[in-house]
Amino acid sequence: MHSKVVTTGCLIAAAVILANEMTNVLGIEDPRDEAGYYDKLRREKWQTIRRVGNVDVVEDDSGRTLGLCHLVNLNAFTDSEGAIRPVEYDHSASALLAMHHFNTGDGSIVPAFDGINQRCDVRFTTEVIDTGSSEFTSLRRLADVVARKDSKEAAVIRPCAILGNSLSASSILTAPLSSVQGLPQLSWFSSSSDLNDRRVNSHFARVILSTDVVSQLGVRYLVDVVGYTHCAVIYLNDNFGNSHLRSFVDAAVQSNLTVESVPFPPRPSQEDLRIAIESIAATQIRCVFAIVTVADHEKILEEAFRQNIVGPDYFWLMSNNRLWVSGDTYERGSALDLAVQGVGQFHHPVLDNEDFLREIWDGLDDDTLDYFTSILPETDEFSINQTKVRPFAYDTIATIGLAACNITNGADFFDGDELAEKIIGNTSFRGSSGPVVINPATGTRFVNSVTFGIEFVTRNEELSSDDTSVLEAVLSTVFKPNEDGTGSQTIIKEPFVYFDGTNNPPPSLPLINDGNGPDFNFIGNLRFMGYTLFGISAVSSIGFAAWTIKLRNERVVKASQPEFLVMICVGTLILSSAIIPLSVDDEFCDGSGCDAACMSAPWLMSIGFVTAFSALFSKTWRINKILRQPGNFRRVKVTWKDVMAPFMVLLTANVIILICFTTINPLKFDRDIDVTIDAFGRKTSSVGSCRSDSRGGGALLYAMLLLAVNLSCVILANVQAYLVRGISTEYQESSYIAIGMAGMLQMWIVGVPLLFLVRDSPQAYFAVWSLVLFVPSISLNLLMFVPKIKFQKAHEANKERNRLEKMQGSNDKTGQVSLQQTPTSNLRLEKIQKYQQEKLTLGG
C-alpha cells in the first residue's frame, strides 16, 4: 500500500512538472503567475482547506497540494494624528513584491527564488492591519489575530507568521505575545537592542541591524572621521529611543566621546519640541545626534532652525535610514529647505544595485500594481508607482520563504516553532540588502553582513528652481565589512559638504574666547615697555660711568671719588637688568629657559642693589661720623676700604640667602596657576609665573629674608641721611644722597605691597616690577651725576671766563690791575671757610 502511495505522488509531481514545462514551451500564460492568484485560490476553496501546523493546505487548479502561509502585516501605516506614513507603504509594497517573486519563482533580485515555486510547496498570502502608530493598538490587533479559530467563514484566516511592527515600542509589546502563541514575528524596521533578548522574544527575528550597530558606527564616524569629542543627543523618550541612547552612550564611553542627552516625548507638541531644542542649545555642544522617528524629524529641524541650532555652527547626524532621498523637494528658502542643508543621515544597506531595484519595480505590469494597491490601506496620498523598494522588507519575506521551503523539503508542513527555529538558527542567503545571516543568539542580523554609509543632504542647484529646492543625498562615507567577517573598513567616497558649503566640519564645542583660544595671560608686548625702561637705565649708567672715567682727574669727580661713582653705575645697571628675566614667560621660551629666568631675577636684584647701595651708605655713614666729631678739624677721607666693608657684609648676607634659595627651593615657571575651566573642562585662561614649592616656607620665606636684610639697611641709611641733612658739603652731594635714599625707601614701601596685590596678573606684576627697578636706578643716576655735570660745566665756564679776563688784563696798556683787591681781613675769612668746607668734603 505504501509503495502505491509513493508511486501515485511521484506521478502527480511528474505531471505537474511536465505541465509547467509545456506551458513554458508553448508560451501559455500560467494563471498561477498572476499576482493575487493564491489569495483568490484561498477564497474559492476555503471550504476544502485544512490546517496543518501553521499553514493552510489546499490543492491548486492543477491538483498540486500547497501550503498557504498567511502573513499578517501589523504595521503603522498612519501616525497618531491619522496622517499616512509613506515609508510604511514603501516597506509593505516591497514585501508584496517579494511575496510575488517567491510565489512565481522569480530570482531576479534574490537568486535563491529562481524556480523555487517548482521545488517548494509553500505559497504566501497576506493581509495588512494599520496599528496607527500606537503600541497598545498593535497589541490589541495582534491579540485579535492570534485569537482566530478555525472557521467555515472565508474571511477568518489564521496566521502563519507576523510581519511587524515597524516601531520598536510596538514590537517590544507584540514580540513576547507572538512568541507565546508560537507565531514567528519578523520586523524590517524595529531596531531596538532590547529585542535581542531571546528569553522573552524567542520567536522574534529581523533582517535589520539593531541600534547597537547604528550607535557604534555613529560614534565611530563622529570620533574617527569628523574628530569630535562631544555630542548632544536628542532622543525619543520611548523604548526605541531609550535603547538607542543606551547603545550610543556605551559606544561613546569606549571612544571617549562626551555625551549630553535631551529627551522629547512620543507624539510631541510644539511646546515639547521647543523645550527640547532649548535644552540642546543650553548644552552649547555643536554636534547633535538625533534619535527620532520619521514622523518627527522635520518638526524637530524646523524648531531647531527657529532657535538657530542648525546652520554653519552646527552638525546634525540623523540616526534613521535615509530620511531624505535624492529628488525630495521643499519650497526654496523655507525653514526646512535651509535646515536640512549639510545634515548627515545613515544609508543602509549601501547597494550596488539600487537602480536595478528601481528598474524591477518599474517593469511591473498594471495588474500586479493594482493587486498591490488593493492589499495596502486605501489612501489618496500614496501612489504605488512612486514606491521606493526597501531591501530590508524584501529580504524579510525572503527569510521566511526560504526557511519554510527548507523545512518542507522532503518533509510535511510545519508549525510556528519549527519555522521560528529554522529562521533564527539557519538563515543564510544573498538577499537584496547583501548577505543575510541571522545571529542565533539574538535573532538579529549579523553586523558584518550589511554595508553602512553616511550621506549628506544638499541642494541640487541644477534641478532646483527659483521656487523649488530639489534635494540630493550624496553618499560620503562607507563602512564596508571585511571579507573575513572581522570588523569593517572606512572608505571616504565623497568629502562631506557641510551647511556652509565647505568640507570643514564645525567644531563640536563653542570656540574658546570667541575663537581667540585660551587666554594665557602672556606679558606680550608689555615686555617692550620693560626693554625700553632697561635701555634708558642702561644708557644712563654706562654714559655716566664713561663720563666719570673720562673726567676722573677733574675736581668735581675727584671730590666724590671716581671709584664710588662707577660703583653706583654698575649697581644701577645690574639692578635694572633684572627687568629682562622678569619679561620672560612661556610665550617664546621653553620650560628650562623660563626656570633659569625665574631664578636669575632675584640674583640680579640683590647684587645690583648691594653694589649701588654700599657706596651711598658708606658716604652717608662717614659724613655722620664726622658730624659726631665737631671739634676735630682733621681731614677725613672715605677710602675704598670704607666702602668695601659694608658692601661685603651686605653681599655675603644676600649671597647666603640666595644660595639657599637656589638649592633648596628654587623658583620654577608654573603655567597652571589660577586656571579657569569652562563647562567642558577646557582651560579658558591660565596664569604663568615663578613659583617654588612650599617646603620650608617656599619662595616667600627667602623673599622676606632678603627684604629684611636690605630694607633694614635702607632704613638705617635714611636715618643717617636725616642726621646729616643740615651739613653743607661741596657740590651739595649729601642732600642728593639723602633724596636718593628717601626715594628708594618710598619705592619699596609702595612697590612691595603693590606687588603682592597684582601677583596673579602677569602684565600688572611685570609693569610694577619694571617701575620698582627702573625708578630707583634712574633716580640714583640722575641725582648723583646731573648736579656734578652742571658743576663741571659751570667750572669750565668760569675757567674760560678767567682765562679771557687774564688775557684782557695782560693786554691792558695802562698796566692797571683789572680786578679789585679784597681787603686782607676778608681774604683771611674766606680761606678759613674754605678750609672748613674741605674738611667736611668726602674725599676732599
Side-chain angles (χ1 to χ4, degrees):
M1 181 66 180
H2 178 70
S3 62
K4 291 182 179 180
V5 172
V6 173
T7 303
T8 303
C10 291
L11 290 174
I12 293 174
V16 170
I17 294 173
L18 180 61
N20 290 331
E21 291 297 326
M22 290 296 294
T23 300
N24 293 334
V25 171
L26 297 175
I28 302 174
E29 293 185 2
D30 187 345
R32 291 170 297 183
D33 290 342
E34 295 178 4
Y37 169 81
Y38 295 99
D39 294 275
K40 181 181 177 181
L41 179 66
R42 179 189 288 277
R43 289 193 300 270
E44 292 178 349
K45 297 191 175 185
W46 64 270
Q47 291 180 329
T48 63
I49 291 176
R50 58 188 176 89
R51 187 75 173 180
V52 177
N54 270 37
V55 298
D56 296 322
V57 179
V58 66
E59 288 185 1
D60 66 6
D61 295 335
S62 66
R64 183 177 181 181
T65 301
L66 300 175
L68 300 182
C69 179
H70 189 66
L71 304 179
V72 178
N73 184 346
L74 280 170
N75 271 299
F77 290 89
T78 57
D79 61 21
S80 58
E81 298 175 356
I84 72 161
R85 301 177 68 243
V87 66
E88 198 52 62
Y89 278 82
D90 286 343
H91 280 121
S92 295
S94 301
L96 289 171
L97 177 63
M99 294 179 202
H100 178 58
H101 283 177
F102 176 80
N103 289 341
T104 60
D106 186 342
S108 58
I109 294 179
V110 174
F113 276 4
D114 188 27
I116 198 170
N117 60 334
Q118 306 298 327
R119 304 187 305 270
C120 179
D121 294 329
V122 177
R123 300 292 185 268
F124 287 135
T125 60
T126 188
E127 66 177 292
V128 298
I129 300 175
D130 181 18
T131 62
S133 300
S134 168
E135 298 91 332
F136 296 105
T137 299
S138 299
L139 189 59
R140 285 196 297 268
R141 296 290 181 267
L142 177 61
D144 293 339
V145 170
V146 299
R148 294 175 182 175
K149 303 297 183 182
D150 290 335
S151 174
K152 297 302 181 182
E153 297 179 12
V156 179
I157 305 173
R158 295 181 65 185
C160 171
I162 304 297
L163 302 178
N165 192 290
S166 56
L167 303 180
S168 293
S170 296
S171 293
I172 288 291
L173 296 178
T174 58
L177 177 58
S178 60
S179 297
V180 169
Q181 296 296 324
L183 285 173
Q185 178 178 338
L186 281 85
S187 174
W188 49 63
F189 213 57
S190 292
S191 57
S192 172
S193 58
D194 289 346
L195 291 166
N196 287 336
D197 188 357
R198 290 207 59 209
R199 296 171 301 174
V200 178
N201 310 307
S202 61
H203 286 49
F204 179 83
R206 51 189 169 180
V207 297
I208 191 173
L209 300 180
S210 71
T211 54
D212 290 342
V213 178
V214 177
S215 296
Q216 290 165 8
L217 293 177
V219 169
R220 177 175 164 185
Y221 178 77
L222 293 173
V223 175
D224 296 342
V225 178
V226 187
Y228 282 160
T229 58
H230 292 70
C231 192
V233 179
I234 182 169
Y235 69 99
L236 178 63
N237 192 14
D238 66 357
N239 180 273
F240 160 73
N242 284 287
S243 65
H244 205 328
L245 176 66
R246 288 196 300 272
S247 301
F248 188 87
V249 170
D250 290 342
V253 169
Q254 299 298 321
S255 300
N256 295 320
L257 179 70
T258 302
V259 174
E260 293 283 344
S261 59
V262 174
F264 67 92
R267 295 175 288 279
S269 65
Q270 191 61 43
E271 180 66 12
D272 293 330
L273 295 179
R274 183 190 65 79
I275 294 173
I277 296 300
E278 283 182 350
S279 300
I280 289 291
T283 67
Q284 302 183 60
I285 298 175
R286 307 302 175 87
C287 163
V288 182
F289 186 76
I291 303 173
V292 299
T293 65
V294 177
D296 298 324
H297 71 285
E298 291 185 333
K299 299 175 185 177
I300 288 174
L301 278 184
E302 281 187 304
E303 181 61 35
F305 180 80
R306 279 190 286 269
Q307 297 191 32
N308 294 319
I309 309 301
V310 292
D313 296 329
Y314 289 87
F315 172 62
W316 283 66
L317 178 61
M318 317 300 285
S319 67
N320 304 67
N321 184 32
R322 309 206 75 185
L323 293 172
W324 297 272
V325 296
S326 296
D328 288 347
T329 60
Y330 287 124
E331 178 185 352
R332 185 152 189 155
S334 64
L336 278 173
D337 175 41
L338 298 175
V340 77
Q341 303 301 318
V343 168
Q345 64 179 1
F346 275 91
H347 177 178
H348 57 89
V350 176
L351 304 175
D352 297 328
N353 63 342
E354 289 187 20
D355 293 337
F356 173 70
L357 295 177
R358 181 73 251 176
E359 292 172 2
I360 293 290
W361 186 268
D362 291 340
L364 296 175
D365 57 61
D366 292 339
D367 291 339
T368 301
L369 293 177
D370 289 342
Y371 165 71
F372 290 170
T373 302
S374 68
I375 296 295
L376 298 173
E378 184 177 357
T379 178
D380 295 331
E381 300 178 46
F382 176 78
S383 172
I384 196 71
N385 294 309
Q386 301 301 319
T387 296
K388 303 177 181 71
V389 178
R390 304 285 181 167
F392 289 132
Y394 191 100
D395 288 345
T396 297
I397 304 304
T399 299
I400 301 173
L402 294 175
C405 290
N406 286 336
I407 296 174
T408 57
N409 184 19
D412 203 348
F413 294 104
F414 51 84
D415 60 21
D417 295 333
E418 292 172 325
L419 181 59
E421 182 180 356
K422 183 64 70 172
I423 289 172
I424 297 173
N426 196 31
T427 293
S428 179
F429 67 95
R430 178 159 292 278
S432 64
S433 60
V436 179
V437 183
I438 302 295
N439 184 351
T442 62
T444 299
R445 187 171 181 169
F446 273 113
V447 59
N448 290 330
S449 64
V450 177
T451 299
F452 272 76
I454 300 291
E455 294 178 329
F456 64 85
V457 182
T458 187
R459 182 186 298 117
N460 188 324
E461 294 294 352
E462 294 181 359
L463 300 178
S464 299
S465 64
D466 293 338
D467 300 324
T468 304
S469 179
V470 179
L471 301 182
E472 183 178 7
V474 182
L475 184 62
S476 174
T477 303
V478 171
F479 299 103
K480 185 177 181 180
N482 296 326
E483 293 182 358
D484 60 2
T486 59
S488 60
Q489 53 183 318
T490 304
I491 302 172
I492 306 298
K493 292 282 190 180
E494 188 78 19
F496 198 103
V497 177
Y498 296 90
F499 183 93
D500 59 1
T502 71
N503 304 125
N504 303 316
S508 61
L509 296 176
L511 299 176
I512 298 176
N513 296 328
D514 297 326
N516 296 318
D519 182 6
F520 292 108
N521 289 289
F522 292 128
I523 294 173
N525 293 332
L526 194 63
R527 58 170 50 90
F528 294 109
M529 180 208 77
Y531 297 159
T532 301
L533 295 179
F534 167 67
I536 294 172
S537 179
V539 168
S540 67
S541 296
I542 296 172
F544 289 143
W547 179 83
T548 300
I549 294 172
K550 180 180 178 181
L551 302 179
R552 62 186 176 277
N553 293 321
E554 294 292 333
R555 177 174 176 78
V556 67
V557 175
K558 291 180 66 178
S560 297
Q561 293 184 279
E563 296 86 353
F564 297 161
L565 296 179
V566 171
M567 191 173 179
I568 292 173
C569 291
V570 172
T572 56
L573 177 64
I574 297 174
L575 181 64
S576 62
S577 69
I579 295 175
I580 302 301
L582 287 172
S583 69
V584 175
D585 59 19
D586 55 347
E587 184 177 8
F588 301 110
C589 276
D590 59 10
S592 59
C594 292
D595 291 344
C598 284
M599 205 60 238
S600 63
W603 279 90
L604 293 174
M605 292 180 197
S606 298
I607 293 174
F609 169 78
V610 168
T611 303
F613 178 78
S614 297
L616 297 178
F617 178 80
S618 298
K619 280 179 172 288
T620 307
W621 177 67
R622 294 296 291 171
I623 292 173
N624 192 58
K625 184 177 180 180
I626 294 171
L627 181 65
R628 291 197 299 268
Q629 297 176 352
N632 188 354
F633 287 90
R634 181 172 54 85
R635 180 184 179 95
V636 178
K637 182 178 181 180
V638 179
T639 64
W640 184 250
K641 182 186 297 185
D642 295 326
V643 177
M644 289 303 294
F647 172 74
M648 292 305 298
V649 172
L650 277 176
L651 181 64
T652 302
N654 277 267
V655 167
I656 291 174
I657 296 172
L658 288 170
I659 289 175
C660 295
F661 193 1
T662 305
T663 56
I664 299 175
N665 286 72
L667 289 173
K668 293 184 179 296
F669 190 85
D670 187 2
R671 163 53 55 188
D672 295 325
I673 296 172
D674 196 23
V675 177
T676 303
I677 304 295
D678 67 6
F680 308 104
R682 301 178 300 173
K683 293 180 182 179
T684 58
S685 67
S686 64
V687 173
S689 64
C690 298
R691 293 284 193 274
S692 67
D693 59 47
S694 58
R695 291 182 297 111
L700 182 61
L701 172 63
Y702 299 101
M704 296 302 295
L705 290 174
L706 290 171
L707 185 64
V709 170
N710 296 316
L711 184 59
S712 61
C713 294
V714 172
I715 294 173
L716 178 61
N718 274 270
V719 172
Q720 297 286 347
Y722 177 78
L723 294 177
V724 299
R725 66 189 183 283
I727 303 299
S728 176
T729 59
E730 189 174 18
Y731 308 122
Q732 300 178 350
E733 189 175 54
S734 61
S735 62
Y736 294 124
I737 293 175
I739 295 173
M741 292 285 190
M744 185 178 296
L745 179 61
Q746 185 178 13
M747 180 57 68
W748 281 40
I749 293 174
V750 174
V752 171
L754 192 58
L755 286 170
F756 276 96
L757 292 176
V758 300
R759 66 185 182 277
D760 292 328
S761 173
Q763 296 91 344
Y765 190 72
F766 173 70
V768 172
W769 259 123
S770 298
L771 293 174
V772 167
L773 297 173
F774 171 75
V775 171
S777 300
I778 197 68
S779 298
L780 283 178
N781 285 341
L782 295 177
L783 288 170
M784 295 305 298
F785 290 96
V786 170
K788 291 178 173 55
I789 293 174
K790 290 175 64 178
F791 279 123
Q792 175 61 24
K793 287 186 175 296
H795 178 66
E796 290 178 353
N798 287 334
K799 284 175 63 178
E800 180 64 17
R801 187 173 64 252
N802 291 336
R803 187 181 66 79
L804 293 175
E805 287 178 352
K806 287 181 180 180
M807 290 177 61
Q808 182 179 359
S810 63
N811 294 329
D812 192 349
K813 293 181 179 181
T814 60
Q816 296 178 354
V817 179
S818 61
L819 297 177
Q820 293 183 355
Q821 301 295 325
T822 58
T824 304
S825 58
N826 291 339
L827 179 61
R828 185 179 297 112
L829 180 60
E830 287 178 0
K831 289 182 177 180
I832 294 172
Q833 290 175 344
K834 185 176 181 180
Y835 171 75
Q836 290 178 341
Q837 241 181 358
E838 289 181 352
K839 183 178 180 182
L840 295 174
T841 299
L842 294 176

